[in-house]
Amino acid sequence: MHKITLKPGKEQSVLRFHPWVFSGAIKKIEGDAVEGDLMEVYSASNQFLAIGHYQIGSIMVRIISFEQVEINTDFWHQKLMQAYKVRTTIGVAENLQNNVYRLVHGEGDGLPGLIIDIYNDTAVMQMHSVGMYRSRQVIAQTLKNIFGDKLIAVYDKSEATIPFKANIGAKNEYVLSEGKPNQVLEYNNKFMVDWVEGQKTGFFIDQRENRKLVESYAKDKTVLNMFCYTGGFSVYAIRGGAKLVHSVDSSEKAVELTKQNVALNFDASNHEALAEDAFEYLNTIDNKYDLIILDPPAFAKHNNALSNALQGYKRINAKAIAKIKPGGIVFTFSCSQVVTKDQFRQAVFSGAAIAKRNVRILHQLTQPADHPVSIYHPEGEYLKGLVLYVE
Ligand code: SAH
């Protein structure tokens, strides 16, 4: 293992379990480290602090252990078992009505750079660091040891998420047996998930609890699910007794997936899916909806896109708030990590002011418990939502 020594005083954040070491904190690196290597991190006074993966960029080490342990099969077993135990405690694992959940959520589970989503008998891994990518075989094997016959395939979908400059030629591929797109159960609702062709790992697992809340508001409502992707919110709205549900997405493929998923669950004549641009669609509607869901893609992926993103949130929310029926409900979300909760609320506030409607915040939503946030790494909180009552 290589050794990294920090500048005096720079050990403080590591002692407080923050999982990143920035390049500016480093005094010296011993040995010829290449990206992805394991590194031991020491303070200026030579005190052991942590072990992590070496990375080239402003974050130079992503810490996977604050103890001086060997990073071997036992280490991975213990970490993944711990993550599994948390999902069992939450109630999303070992649940006959639910077999889709996030097993590992990066820093939130003490494993920066690693995402693992469980889709019934298939695990989909998404690595965001070279160190995690290089560990993918041992991680896949450990998953198999933990789940046994309940796990058939492990798919690695890291091609687009490994730092581009690392140039390691990551490919999307099965690393343990071949699988195929699969039907999953989320709170007893059926969804087809295609991790090979789909966005992210195939499904937006992070909206599970928020969909459940939509279900509870949907009775007898006319609902617009804007940015529907695979129709998660639409299925829950129909389940909740909506009178009519319109699902809209600019992608034809998403519209097809939504239709399929609705058909898997209901013989529904009160659902229609349309391929339209969100802004154009909202311009054309009059006030026919009682409930509108706005779950756009991340408008800002980087800080330099922040101000455009905030404008985007303002505009889309202004339109929805202006167009909803009096007494209607808007579920509005942002999944951009660089947009804070306050900034998002400010953007929605500006949108409401443009629409000149009286708006109450009923609920403040976030990501679900299987996307946990380490208390030492508040940056891990990314999903923000507001439920508005519009007079
Ligand atoms: N609510 C979904 C996830 C939304 S992902 C769920 O619960 O699964 C964001 C979606 O927005 C994508 O499917 C993308 O195709 C769609 N999208 C992106 N830009 C759009 C636009 N301008 N108008 C409509 N849909 C758009």
Side-chain angles (χ1 to χ4, degrees):
M1 231 186 267
H2 304 282
K3 180 172 174 181
I4 275 188
T5 306
L6 303 186
K7 292 177 184 162
K10 295 295 184 187
E11 70 283 2
Q12 286 307 325
S13 82
V14 186
L15 288 171
R16 272 184 267 114
F17 303 110
H18 195 279
W20 298 341
V21 176
F22 288 95
S23 55
I26 293 172
K27 188 167 94 188
K28 74 171 179 209
I29 302 175
E30 285 165 43
D32 296 327
V34 296
E35 186 155 14
D37 281 353
L38 284 170
M39 292 285 186
E40 282 193 329
V41 183
Y42 284 80
S43 70
S45 60
N46 211 26
Q47 176 196 5
F48 169 86
L49 298 169
I51 297 171
H53 288 134
Y54 180 56
Q55 190 170 305
I56 299 185
S58 84
I59 302 172
M60 287 206 102
V61 185
R62 304 181 98 184
I63 294 170
I64 61 171
S65 176
F66 291 93
E67 284 163 38
Q68 204 162 15
V69 292
E70 249 191 80
I71 308 302
N72 54 17
T73 326
D74 281 352
F75 168 83
W76 291 108
H77 189 85
Q78 209 187 334
K79 283 282 202 184
L80 297 181
M81 269 313 282
Q82 186 60 39
Y84 186 57
K85 196 172 146 199
V86 172
R87 276 55 183 184
T88 311
T89 303
I90 297 163
V92 292
E94 290 178 29
N95 177 341
L96 289 176
Q97 303 182 345
N98 192 81
N99 58 25
V100 45
Y101 57 92
R102 179 155 290 189
L103 174 68
V104 175
H105 184 61
E107 284 83 356
D109 287 292
L111 292 169
L114 179 64
I115 298 292
I116 304 176
D117 288 338
I118 301 293
Y119 294 113
N120 191 5
D121 56 16
T122 300
V124 180
M125 312 194 285
Q126 200 156 59
M127 316 298 194
H128 293 256
S129 72
V130 176
M132 281 299 176
Y133 187 75
R134 279 167 52 186
S135 309
R136 65 198 185 127
Q137 294 294 349
V138 60
I139 295 171
Q141 196 50 55
T142 308
L143 287 172
K144 182 66 187 164
N145 295 343
I146 292 173
F147 287 94
D149 292 345
K150 284 190 263 174
L151 184 74
I152 292 174
V154 179
Y155 186 68
D156 174 21
K157 196 177 185 183
S158 305
E159 196 173 311
T161 56
I162 291 287
F164 169 69
K165 287 185 190 139
N167 201 14
I168 52 167
K171 285 210 166 32
N172 293 340
E173 61 190 355
Y174 285 98
V175 286
L176 187 99
S177 309
E178 288 279 315
K180 54 177 186 356
N182 212 334
Q183 188 174 306
V184 299
L185 263 189
E186 185 188 79
Y187 281 150
N188 249 349
N189 297 296
K190 296 176 198 144
F191 292 97
M192 274 308 288
V193 179
D194 184 349
W195 41 85
V196 177
E197 297 294 331
Q199 300 180 36
K200 296 208 183 175
T201 65
F203 190 63
F204 284 73
I205 304 175
D206 56 2
Q207 289 289 22
R208 182 199 316 108
E209 305 306 320
N210 301 330
R211 291 179 185 134
K212 195 81 188 148
L213 190 62
V214 162
E215 178 181 336
S216 74
Y217 274 101
K219 188 143 184 53
D220 298 330
K221 301 269 166 56
T222 299
V223 178
L224 171 61
N225 178 13
M226 180 53 79
F227 307 100
C228 63
Y229 187 38
T230 59
F233 284 105
S234 308
V235 167
Y236 281 74
I238 299 169
R239 178 83 62 213
K243 188 160 68 188
L244 179 66
V245 178
H246 287 161
S247 305
V248 177
D249 198 290
S250 57
S251 143
E252 291 276 359
K253 203 162 175 189
V255 167
E256 279 314 306
L257 289 167
T258 295
K259 285 182 186 164
Q260 275 176 28
N261 282 330
V262 168
L264 267 182
N265 292 280
F266 316 99
D267 182 12
S269 55
N270 59 344
H271 175 255
E272 217 177 302
L274 307 157
E276 300 257 6
D277 172 77
F279 289 92
E280 284 170 20
Y281 186 80
L282 288 172
N283 277 337
T284 62
I285 57 170
D286 45 23
N287 59 350
K288 65 178 170 188
Y289 295 110
D290 308 291
L291 200 169
I292 297 179
I293 299 134
L294 295 177
D295 184 23
F299 282 162
K301 294 221 163 85
H302 300 287
N303 254 321
N304 44 17
L306 182 62
S307 93
N308 280 345
L310 294 174
Q311 285 297 323
Y313 289 121
K314 180 172 88 179
R315 280 176 53 219
I316 194 100
N317 281 283
K319 282 195 197 297
I321 294 169
K323 296 285 177 107
I324 198 154
K325 266 189 200 166
I329 304 271
V330 177
F331 277 69
T332 181
F333 296 97
S334 161
C335 60
S336 308
Q337 186 144 17
V338 296
V339 173
T340 66
K341 206 190 307 186
D342 288 343
Q343 286 167 328
F344 177 60
R345 198 204 276 209
Q346 180 73 33
V348 177
F349 154 82
S350 303
I354 292 169
K356 295 196 170 63
R357 301 278 296 268
N358 191 13
V359 174
R360 292 169 174 81
I361 297 174
L362 303 183
H363 302 268
Q364 302 182 47
L365 306 177
T366 183
Q367 63 219 52
D370 55 341
H371 294 57
V373 180
S374 160
I375 201 157
Y376 305 110
H377 181 259
E379 299 93 323
E381 193 176 340
Y382 71 98
L383 183 63
K384 305 150 286 284
L386 295 170
V387 183
L388 311 173
Y389 181 94
V390 185
E391 228 173 82

